[in-house]
Amino acid sequence: MKEIVSVPADFCYPTGLISVDQALDFILERARTVESTQRVALKEASGRILREALYSPLDVPGYDNSQMDGYAIKTEDMHNATVSFPVTQYIPAGRPGVALEPGTAARIFTGAVIPEGANAVIMQENCKRQGDSVICKGPITPGMNVRLRGNDIRSGDQVLWDGDRLTPPAVGLAASLGIQELRVSRRLRVAIFSSGDELKEPGQILGPGEIYNSNRYTLTGLLAALDCECIDLGQVADTPEATEATLLQASSVADVVISSGGVSVGDEDHVKAALERIGKLEMWKVAVKPGKPLAYGRIGSADFLGLPGNPVSTLVTFCIFVRPFLLKRMGADKLFAKRQPVRAGFDWPTAQNRREYPRAQISDNPGDFCIAELHPRQSSEVLSSTVWAEGVVEVPEGCQIKSGQILNYISFSELFN
């Protein structure tokens, strides 16, 4: 198999920029796991981070039971391929029967307890009922169509781990063990705000040079998917005073502060300068496209992550950098979305000095890797490309790509879950 394209060994990053991998390492080293935990009911647990190992207090299932609707028998009573049995009992799920007499059968349903003396179930499609008897057709062997006690889980087995992100199946698993509550991290408090006098809210009338604030709604949705407590501070005026006041307010109520816009080098980009006055800027400018002016710092006890203002840049930098940072702060073990090898269905003729994440769709390619096709417009303001796309491909810095080469692909279904 061809290797996935990687950064050339002799590649040099532009002055002032750090690599994607360096930036991730830097911010993840500074991600302090929330210490506070709480016990929550199962209905409230999905999406939360488990903060205790979970061991089964019982066998699942707790008894031998029927895998399907049919007739429970003892296989030794099958003297030949076709045998008629008197049906002596009726066993639905939830109502155990009595010991099976030799030479008889019990009508049984899926999930019902296998009666003492029976060791197999003949599916009803292989039986013919005649009055109080049933004609059963073999062959049948001991244990056929029987789910044994502990077939799924044995008492004492570890079933969930500290740091697991609780999916709906994981919560269902806990319920199957009779557990009512789980210990999880408290919700991470994340304050967000947008910088820019040109921003208007949906429903307002746009004036000359104004645009609707999409980043506010992208970020609230992404944080909801991570089950964070979102503190929405809305839009901040493009002044040093308003920016500084909002940063101080946000840091007083949140674990993490996220801004969109205002971290570049323009005269009206006040977030970076305000952060340097009232807090500490620890990282700025990453060799990534879209999203170069990504910033990380601290304001008091709160972490700060400054995202670029262009809508695609906001989305991509959140997915690549902020998402794993927040997950680590929440106590999760698995931080990164899975990467899938795909074949490029495009040429990338010019090597760039930043790692790029173009938006892509993938299509099946029987017997081989899926094919990734790019949206025709990859500018960082083309938000419609993120709706058309199913994910992003990772184009390493310093590389030219030819159609057919293998690249990493990250699905939005992974990033948005």
Side-chain angles (χ1 to χ4, degrees), residues 178-404:
I179 292 168
Q180 295 177 292
E181 295 180 334
L182 293 170
R183 181 169 295 283
V184 299
S185 293
R186 71 158 172 83
R187 281 193 170 94
L188 198 68
R189 296 185 291 266
V190 183
I192 64 169
F193 67 89
S194 303
S195 176
D197 287 342
E198 75 280 11
L199 300 176
K200 293 293 183 183
E201 285 300 301
Q204 295 179 331
I205 298 174
L206 293 180
E210 294 178 337
I211 59 173
Y212 289 120
N213 185 356
S214 63
N215 288 343
R216 181 181 189 181
Y217 299 93
T218 298
L219 289 174
T220 54
L222 290 166
L223 291 171
L226 290 175
D227 205 43
C228 294
E229 178 186 339
C230 181
I231 304 167
D232 184 1
L233 300 179
Q235 176 203 353
V236 177
D238 274 335
T239 67
E241 296 78 14
T243 303
E244 187 171 317
T246 301
L247 284 171
L248 287 170
Q249 177 190 359
S251 65
S252 70
V253 296
D255 303 299
V256 180
V257 179
I258 299 175
S259 71
S260 62
V263 291
S264 193
V265 294
D267 291 342
E268 297 299 319
D269 290 318
H270 300 294
V271 175
K272 173 178 173 289
L275 176 67
E276 290 175 313
R277 287 193 300 273
I278 62 174
K280 184 178 182 182
L281 177 68
E282 298 186 34
M283 185 192 81
W284 185 46
K285 291 187 177 181
V286 180
V288 62
K289 185 176 181 181
K292 180 176 72 173
L294 175 72
Y296 170 80
R298 294 283 294 277
I299 313 168
S301 62
D303 295 288
F304 170 80
L305 287 154
L307 310 185
N310 277 321
V312 178
S313 301
T314 296
L315 174 66
V316 170
T317 50
F318 185 98
C319 290
I320 302 302
F321 299 99
V322 180
R323 181 180 183 274
F325 177 83
L326 295 179
L327 285 170
K328 186 172 181 183
R329 287 283 266 123
M330 294 157 65
D333 279 342
K334 296 178 182 178
L335 307 182
F336 300 103
K338 292 180 181 178
R339 282 159 165 77
Q340 170 187 344
V342 296
R343 289 198 184 277
F346 57 90
D347 291 324
W348 196 270
T350 305
Q352 304 294 325
N353 59 15
R354 291 184 277 168
R355 189 174 303 179
E356 300 206 35
Y357 291 90
R359 278 69 67 205
Q361 286 185 357
I362 60 172
S363 57
D364 289 338
N365 185 23
D368 199 0
F369 297 115
C370 291
I371 302 293
E373 300 285 352
L374 300 187
H375 190 275
R377 300 177 62 202
Q378 292 291 333
S379 297
S380 57
E381 81 284 359
V382 184
L383 189 57
S384 60
S385 68
T386 64
V387 177
W388 172 90
E390 298 166 321
V392 294
V393 290
E394 195 171 48
V395 178
E397 46 272 58
C399 292
Q400 295 175 304
I401 305 299
K402 292 184 178 180
S403 182

Side-chain angles (χ1 to χ4, degrees), residues 75-94:
T75 55
E76 289 79 358
D77 292 334
M78 287 290 292
H79 307 297
N80 51 51
T82 303
V83 176
S84 178
F85 294 102
V87 179
T88 58
Q89 54 183 309
Y90 182 91
I91 312 176

Side-chain angles (χ1 to χ4, degrees), residues 65-202:
N65 68 90
S66 179
Q67 190 172 340
M68 58 186 59
D69 295 346
Y71 293 85
I73 65 163
K74 186 175 182 179
T75 55
E76 289 79 358
D77 292 334
M78 287 290 292
H79 307 297
N80 51 51
T82 303
V83 176
S84 178
F85 294 102
V87 179
T88 58
Q89 54 183 309
Y90 182 91
I91 312 176
R95 277 194 274 159
V98 298
L100 189 70
E101 294 291 335
T104 68
R107 178 67 165 127
I108 197 166
F109 295 87
T110 303
V113 178
I114 299 294
E116 182 184 347
N119 63 359
V121 174
I122 301 181
M123 61 190 300
Q124 63 184 19
E125 290 84 352
N126 291 337
C127 300
K128 183 178 180 180
R129 190 66 182 261
Q130 288 186 338
D132 293 334
S133 297
V134 62
I135 299 173
C136 299
K137 295 181 180 179
I140 188 165
T141 56
M144 185 176 287
N145 301 323
V146 174
R147 295 184 292 212
L148 298 177
R149 176 174 182 158
N151 176 63
D152 184 7
I153 300 167
R154 289 286 187 183
S155 178
D157 284 352
Q158 184 171 356
V159 293
L160 295 173
W161 278 255
D162 187 346
D164 280 352
R165 190 171 178 208
L166 291 167
T167 61
V171 175
L173 179 63
S176 77
L177 304 177
I179 292 168
Q180 295 177 292
E181 295 180 334
L182 293 170
R183 181 169 295 283
V184 299
S185 293
R186 71 158 172 83
R187 281 193 170 94
L188 198 68
R189 296 185 291 266
V190 183
I192 64 169
F193 67 89
S194 303
S195 176
D197 287 342
E198 75 280 11
L199 300 176
K200 293 293 183 183
E201 285 300 301

